[in-house]
Amino acid sequence: MTLTPVVRRLRSYRRRLRQARMVARAIKSKHHPILAHIIPMRRCNLSCTYCNEYDKVSDPVPTAEMLRRIELLAGMGTGIITISGGEPLLHPGLDEMIRAIRRHGAIATIITNGYLLTPERIQLLNRAGLEHLQISIDNVMPDEVSKKSLKVLDRKLAWLAEFAQFDININSVLGGGMAHPEDALTITRRALELGFETTVGIIHDHSGQLEPLKANERAVYDQILKERKPAMFAFAYDNLFHKNLALGQTNDWQCRAGSRYLYVCEQGLVHYCSQQRGYPAIPLEKYTQADLDREYSTKKPCAPLCTVSCVHRVAMLDLMRNEPREALTRFFPPVNPGGPAQLPAGIKVLTSVFLPPADGQPQSATQRMVAGAAMKLFGVK
């Protein structure tokens, strides 16, 4: 029996502290990106019919150029750098990129279809310092829409459970023409059985917009929410964004793409997100603090029906920064209208430490001392 799952669990505590420091920095200041997606190559080894983020011909961006872009993002203060594609495991310099992200102090993550994972490749990712990996699985059996099936990938998942020292999230999907929505529940159950984190996504159209779930898809979605045990942040995301999307309803929020979230394509241009490529399309080396500050408040017409979850999650941190008590009520809604927010115990403690009392009175000397100590622990000045 391998000790890797134990090692992964122990290392996850250090990762949680790094994530907490990232969140603390994001809440303290709005003037740096929280998350950036970088694309080292557009080519992919699959051809999922709903996907508009790949081609079959592109060469990998030279590793030296990707390292330069990582350095530029680190210089902006970016907290998380996610390597995506296309398929990032096709890039020969992937491990070097991961090491560079870690060397610059950012959190290193990748999004992959998982096809190229082997025990040896997973060990290389461990040694490079990868902290988080996500695979999106579309169905149980491969079909004409997607080959990202549990049948094909289950062996890869077992290898991840046995060998990976980084966190793993398995994302199941609903909508977008998937023939068997009940597959999402099967995939979620398998991920939970292996000890992985799980999310469920609603597939968007080719502009990143909402395709409302049908009644049978909503039933599967509701059952997944009952069975999975989401992390606190994912639970809050479900309440704030996902439940409306599942019902085909709009969300009222301020998109921070182009500021707190950056999508850097293979040409090195900064875009709002993968589904809004072409705006603002400024080269990363020419992207300035003025651009970040402008896009922080720019209204995006695509926002109400947006399903791009990584942009949603970034916006949640700014909602916490700007309107903390309102944010907590929206993240953890009361059982009865007008009642108190249903805060988890850990959030109650943090609220008592960092927020002034709800009655408007100033913090006590003890609260200020504890808050100061916590900020030092999180590395925030």
Side-chain angles (χ1 to χ4, degrees):
M1 178 180 175
T2 177
L3 291 175
T4 302
V6 177
V7 174
R8 181 167 64 243
R9 196 173 304 114
L10 291 173
R11 290 189 175 182
S12 73
Y13 295 121
R14 278 187 286 174
R15 287 192 287 269
R16 298 297 175 267
L17 179 58
R18 280 169 49 74
Q19 291 164 5
R21 288 172 174 166
M22 179 274 298
V23 169
R25 284 185 62 242
I27 291 176
K28 183 173 179 60
S29 171
K30 68 178 184 179
H31 297 294
H32 65 273
I34 297 170
L35 168 64
H37 269 83
I38 57 174
I39 311 301
M41 63 187 309
R42 188 62 65 183
R43 184 158 54 92
C44 187
N45 52 327
L46 300 181
S47 302
C48 302
T49 61
Y50 62 81
C51 181
N52 63 352
E53 300 181 45
Y54 77 97
D55 66 29
K56 287 294 184 182
V57 298
S58 296
D59 291 329
V61 178
T63 301
E65 173 60 20
M66 292 306 303
L67 297 179
R68 186 183 74 89
R69 294 175 190 175
I70 289 167
E71 185 173 5
L72 288 169
L73 289 168
M76 294 179 176
T78 307
I80 307 170
I81 300 178
T82 295
I83 305 171
S84 185
E87 174 46 55
L89 286 173
L90 288 170
H91 198 291
L94 176 62
D95 294 355
E96 194 171 351
M97 289 180 241
I98 293 169
R99 284 192 289 269
I101 293 169
R102 292 298 308 274
R103 189 167 57 249
H104 285 294
I107 295 170
T109 78
I110 68 169
I111 299 174
T112 172
N113 61 41
Y115 262 62
L116 300 178
L117 290 172
T118 64
E120 295 75 19
R121 191 69 189 88
I122 294 167
Q123 296 283 19
L124 288 173
L125 293 172
N126 287 339
R127 290 196 285 273
L130 184 67
E131 294 175 273
H132 187 274
L133 177 146
Q134 176 169 300
I135 301 175
S136 186
I137 302 180
D138 299 334
N139 45 36
V140 172
M141 300 294 293
D143 59 23
E144 66 281 357
V145 174
S146 173
K147 307 301 181 189
K148 293 192 298 181
S149 67
L150 188 60
K151 175 180 172 59
V152 174
L153 290 169
D154 194 63
R155 188 180 184 190
K156 313 288 187 179
L157 300 186
W159 285 338
L160 285 168
E162 183 175 0
F163 298 108
Q165 296 176 2
F166 41 83
D167 292 332
I168 300 140
N169 183 73
I170 304 302
N171 185 67
S172 59
V173 297
L174 288 167
M178 294 299 170
H180 303 286
E182 66 277 6
D183 285 0
L185 181 57
T186 302
I187 293 162
T188 297
R189 287 170 173 168
R190 178 57 174 156
L192 292 172
E193 179 186 355
L194 290 168
F196 299 154
E197 299 172 5
T198 66
T199 51
V200 57
I202 298 173
I203 293 182
H204 47 68
D205 65 17
H206 280 237
S207 63
Q209 296 292 281
L210 174 66
E211 290 189 353
L213 298 183
K214 301 181 178 79
N216 61 333
E217 294 169 332
R218 287 201 303 272
V220 171
Y221 173 78
D222 290 340
Q223 186 61 34
I224 288 173
L225 293 191
K226 289 179 183 177
E227 294 193 20
R228 75 187 181 106
K229 297 178 177 61
M232 186 165 55
F233 200 65
F235 178 83
Y237 172 68
D238 290 337
N239 285 327
L240 190 61
F241 285 103
H242 232 192
K243 288 183 178 178
N244 280 345
L245 295 176
L247 295 172
Q249 298 173 354
T250 60
N251 282 305
D252 180 16
W253 65 298
Q254 174 61 53
C255 174
R256 309 292 184 187
S259 176
R260 304 291 255 168
Y261 171 85
L262 304 180
Y263 180 91
V264 184
C265 72
E266 65 273 32
Q267 283 86 30
L269 304 178
V270 176
H271 307 270
Y272 284 158
C273 68
S274 64
Q275 303 307 303
Q276 298 296 328
R277 298 196 293 275
Y279 310 94
I282 297 172
L284 178 60
E285 63 269 20
K286 295 182 179 179
Y287 212 74
T288 66
Q289 189 64 53
D291 295 312
L292 294 172
D293 292 344
R294 180 191 65 251
E295 296 301 340
Y296 183 86
S297 302
T298 298
K299 296 289 184 183
K300 284 83 173 180
C302 50
L305 294 174
C306 172
T307 66
V308 183
S309 62
C310 50
V311 188
H312 291 159
R313 292 172 189 266
V314 165
M316 290 171 65
L317 294 180
D318 279 308
L319 183 58
M320 272 293 298
R321 192 181 67 81
N322 295 330
E323 300 170 331
R325 292 198 181 277
E326 177 186 335
L328 290 172
T329 300
R330 294 177 67 183
F331 295 170
F332 307 100
V335 175
N336 299 311
Q342 298 299 295
L343 302 181
I347 294 293
K348 286 183 179 178
V349 171
L350 291 174
T351 299
S352 68
V353 170
F354 289 108
L355 294 185
D359 59 11
Q361 296 297 313
Q363 284 184 317
S364 68
T366 301
Q367 283 179 306
R368 291 195 299 272
M369 182 179 66
V370 172
M375 294 300 275
K376 287 183 179 179
L377 175 64
F378 295 149
V380 177
K381 297 179 180 178

